[in-house]
Amino acid sequence: MKPPIFTIIMLTVILGTMIVMTASHWLMVWIGFEMNLLAIIPILMKKYNPRAMEAATKYFLTQATASMILMMGIIINLLHSGQWTVSKDLNPMASIMMTTALAMKLGLAPFHFWVPEVTQGISMSSGLILLTWQKIAPLSILYQISPTINPNLLLTMSIMSVTIGGWGGLNQTQLRKIMAYSSIAHMGWMTAIMMYNPTMMILNLVIYIIMTLTTFMLFMHNSTTTTSSLSQTWNKTPLITSLILVLMMSLGGLPPLSGFMPKWMIIQELTKNEMIMMPTLLAMTALLNLYFYMRLTYTTALTMFPSNNSMKMKWRFECTKKTTFLPPLIVMSTMLLPLTPMLFIL
């Protein structure tokens, strides 16, 4: 794709999301979603092949269906309230339909089936946009309508998402599918806290985006898409290999790292609201995620897999890929935990 065309399409994607986030009129929200959807399709098919076309078609069909259900919810709300304003007092039926539509857009279980398939069919850079930027618009609308969402519906979907996000990734060897299941699980954590403290969801989203962005950039730097190709990197780029180890632990939510912060705060907030079973289930299913991150760290940095040369360090040309944003991103993905007290004050 030529740079000017790519720039225009990317700007349309950004504009679509911005319209959704800032609109106070339901029709403008819907138009923002449509702009975003139609502009992302060519980005998904950036490297044209049959797999990418299939992935883009699946994405289009799911998102178009979600947009249709969202519009249905908007119209039901219009018939009951007589206004188009994005307000906090939604009709219960409209609220259920909108929540379902936004869950489809996010890839929450039981509407998660498209996420691994689409992510696997597209390139790494497109997958990065799909799993980070594309989550912002639906979550911003969920944030705005959070007081009227049916709690049973949302909490059921969040527990299912965390469980399926953990179970689905267990047997995967493709890095993009692993990241897709990881995304489903993280969305589950975000929607679990949505009812009780929507601001906490924003914190979780920011940290999730930083960690996913860093992970994808490291995979792209290594040009790896499978666990077997990742296991060959120990004698090519040992530093990046060890950084992937730390990042995987952060994604799993282990204590001294950034990924622990949102999990800790969400569990604390849920227990404050006298919910015991919910955080217990979330913490237990998070172990499934930790298991497949551990598998990745094992194949990447904890074992020396046989390589096709007998040298400890492989001779290679100097890397020409720019890593300007990697150092600050790695620091943010791993070392934000000491800032937690400041967030508690806020």
Side-chain angles (χ1 to χ4, degrees):
M1 195 184 290
K2 290 176 181 172
I5 297 170
F6 181 71
T7 310
I8 291 166
I9 290 171
M10 271 309 292
L11 285 171
T12 314
V13 170
I14 293 165
L15 182 65
T17 304
M18 292 299 177
I19 288 172
V20 172
M21 288 168 73
T22 53
S24 57
H25 192 286
W26 277 117
L27 189 64
M28 284 306 290
V29 168
W30 188 79
I31 287 168
F33 274 124
E34 290 305 295
M35 277 175 66
N36 182 284
L37 166 61
L38 294 172
I40 199 81
I41 299 296
I43 291 173
L44 299 185
M45 289 201 290
K46 199 165 56 176
K47 287 196 173 80
Y48 179 76
N49 56 52
R51 282 296 299 273
M53 189 172 181
E54 185 190 333
T57 310
K58 282 176 182 170
Y59 182 75
F60 175 77
L61 290 172
T62 4
Q63 299 294 314
T65 309
S67 290
M68 183 178 69
I69 297 169
L70 179 66
M71 193 39 128
M72 181 84 171
I74 291 168
I75 291 167
I76 289 171
N77 188 55
L78 173 70
L79 293 173
H80 277 84
S81 66
Q83 59 169 359
W84 286 92
T85 318
V86 180
S87 61
K88 288 187 166 44
D89 49 341
L90 284 177
N91 174 269
M93 186 63 201
S95 174
I96 287 172
M97 293 198 81
M98 285 179 193
T99 310
T100 309
L102 294 166
M104 281 180 83
K105 282 191 174 291
L106 282 173
L108 278 175
F111 312 106
H112 65 282
F113 295 99
W114 63 270
V115 185
E117 295 299 319
V118 172
T119 315
Q120 182 55 34
I122 56 183
S123 66
M124 274 282 192
S125 52
S126 304
L128 170 60
I129 296 166
L130 182 75
L131 294 182
T132 54
W133 183 262
Q134 291 302 93
K135 307 292 181 193
I136 297 172
L139 281 170
S140 71
I141 297 299
L142 275 177
Y143 178 87
Q144 289 178 61
I145 65 167
S146 60
T148 53
I149 292 175
N150 183 335
N152 296 334
L153 174 71
L154 201 64
L155 291 176
T156 307
M157 287 200 292
S158 71
I159 284 192
M160 283 174 73
S161 299
V162 178
T163 311
I164 286 165
W167 255 321
L170 287 181
N171 218 13
Q172 300 297 337
T173 55
Q174 297 287 336
L175 298 179
R176 280 168 293 189
K177 274 195 175 174
I178 287 174
M179 292 310 292
Y181 280 111
S182 160
S183 167
I184 294 167
H186 276 93
M187 290 303 125
W189 278 88
M190 284 177 222
T191 46
I193 197 64
M194 185 81 74
M195 303 298 307
Y196 304 100
N197 192 338
T199 319
M200 202 79 85
M201 180 275 295
I202 294 173
L203 169 75
N204 197 337
L205 177 66
V206 170
I207 292 177
Y208 159 75
I209 286 176
I210 291 168
M211 291 192 299
T212 309
L213 186 63
T214 318
T215 311
F216 265 96
M217 283 176 79
L218 285 173
F219 290 160
M220 281 150 69
H221 182 79
N222 279 341
S223 306
T224 48
T225 53
T226 60
T227 44
S228 59
S229 61
L230 200 61
S231 66
Q232 303 295 327
T233 55
W234 65 268
N235 70 344
K236 293 179 197 165
T237 50
L239 181 63
I240 282 183
T241 305
S242 51
L243 286 172
I244 289 174
L245 178 143
V246 179
L247 255 172
M248 288 295 131
M249 296 295 95
S250 187
L251 270 167
L254 283 187
L257 305 163
S258 300
F260 176 63
M261 189 207 297
K263 286 187 168 61
W264 168 26
M265 291 177 88
I266 286 172
I267 288 172
Q268 184 172 340
E269 195 67 31
L270 286 170
T271 44
K272 270 184 193 171
N273 284 285
E274 295 178 4
M275 294 189 74
I276 302 300
M277 281 308 293
M278 183 77 182
T280 310
L281 281 168
L282 286 176
M284 282 165 68
T285 45
L287 290 173
L288 293 169
N289 284 68
L290 191 59
Y291 174 77
F292 65 73
Y293 294 132
M294 280 300 294
R295 265 183 64 218
L296 279 185
T297 56
Y298 179 75
T299 54
T300 311
L302 299 179
T303 45
M304 288 184 175
F305 275 77
S307 62
N308 50 15
N309 66 326
S310 55
M311 299 288 289
K312 200 65 171 280
M313 283 304 297
K314 197 171 184 180
W315 183 90
R316 62 197 182 95
F317 290 110
E318 195 178 333
C319 185
T320 54
K321 288 178 182 172
K322 284 188 170 64
T323 56
T324 322
F325 299 110
L326 266 178
L329 279 172
I330 288 163
V331 169
M332 285 195 289
S333 303
T334 51
M335 298 182 190
L336 288 184
L337 192 66
L339 296 178
T340 315
M342 184 180 78
L343 295 166
F344 274 127
I345 293 163
L346 295 171

